[in-house]
Amino acid sequence: MTELQKYYFGFIFVIFKVMNTEQQLKFSPSIFTIPFLFVIVIWFVYWIEIKFGWNFNKFGVFPRSFDGLKGVICSPFIHSDTKHLFNNSVPLFVLSACLFYFYKEVAVKVLLFGGIMTGLLTWLIARESYHIGASGIVYLLFSFVLFSGIIKKNYRLVAVSFVTIFLYGSMVWYVLPIKEGMSWEGHLSGLITGVVLALLYRKRGIVKEKFEFTKTEFDSMFDEAGNYAPPVIEEEVELEEIKYKYFYKEEE
């Protein structure tokens, strides 16, 4: 983990603690469960390949081939080498943890439906080759966390979005064919899918916070249209004065 990644993770942890007081966001260790299991599974699959000398590349996405559709499900768990695996593991864990904390209401849907949509889009637009790796999911998460925070206009989510840009913003360049042997089509598919899901779920979960002014006695002197309308004070009714007359009893 690089220094920037450490700072990012620390920043996110601070936001976790600050937002823990809100009803919509309650910190729980369970938010790390699925991200941790995901990372463990992809490392385990890679260990099996090394241990038994197998090559799972043929289970990747192979565009416009019926047999290549199996890669829509399998490809995120397959990696070419240790560097490829490690480069995906850290952002995958951090961004998916953000997803399950800040967007827990739709997190599973984003991960499942988003993963399938990313794989299918890669299958449609990519060049004829086996496309493997969890980088498409990483770009999906990056895109969703980034654009969802901006669209919802919640200041804490926007803060997470901008820190995400600061740390992972350079990834945007890899949606272009600038590096040989890299599935830029998978990256682009994940980025597009993240934007689509951010728009689709823009009204789900945390939304823009509405500021409410504290009402005072002065505010009660105006109506809803802002017109001066002081409260009506009922006139005091004066009671008639009662006069008493005393009669003294004569002594016997």
Side-chain angles (χ1 to χ4, degrees), residues 105-236:
E105 186 179 345
V106 297
V108 174
K109 294 179 181 178
V110 169
L111 200 57
L112 292 180
F113 298 153
I116 293 172
M117 290 170 61
T118 298
L120 289 175
L121 188 56
T122 303
W123 183 82
L124 285 173
I125 68 173
R127 61 192 185 279
E128 291 189 356
S129 179
Y130 285 107
H131 296 258
I132 59 173
S135 53
I137 303 296
V138 171
Y139 274 79
L140 160 69
L141 297 172
F142 163 77
S143 178
F144 181 82
V145 172
L146 170 62
F147 290 103
S148 187
I150 295 174
I151 292 171
K152 287 176 179 291
K153 297 180 181 179
N154 178 286
Y155 72 94
R156 291 190 180 99
L157 299 182
V158 171
V160 174
S161 297
F162 280 112
V163 175
T164 302
I165 293 174
F166 176 72
L167 182 59
Y168 295 114
S170 60
M171 293 196 315
V172 174
W173 296 108
Y174 294 104
V175 301
L176 301 173
I178 60 175
K179 186 176 180 181
E180 189 177 352
M182 180 185 65
S183 178
W184 63 270
E185 301 95 329
H187 299 169
L188 180 61
S189 299
L191 189 72
I192 293 173
T193 302
V195 175
V196 171
L197 291 179
L199 290 170
L200 184 64
Y201 294 126
R202 65 186 181 279
K203 295 182 180 180
R204 299 286 296 275
I206 302 172
V207 294
K208 183 180 179 180
E209 297 175 343
K210 294 181 180 179
F211 184 80
E212 295 183 0
F213 291 95
T214 303
K215 194 169 183 178
T216 63
E217 292 182 5
F218 180 76
D219 296 320
S220 63
M221 300 176 67
F222 297 86
D223 60 20
E224 294 181 356
N227 300 315
Y228 180 65
V232 178
I233 302 175
E234 296 181 0
E235 295 182 0
E236 295 182 358

Side-chain angles (χ1 to χ4, degrees), residues 240-247:
E240 295 183 2
E241 184 179 352
I242 300 176
K243 296 181 179 181
Y244 295 91
K245 188 175 183 181
Y246 297 94
F247 293 93

Side-chain angles (χ1 to χ4, degrees), residues 36-47:
F36 181 73
L37 288 176
F38 200 163
V39 173
I40 289 297
V41 170
I42 63 177
W43 276 92
F44 180 70
V45 171
Y46 183 70
W47 176 82

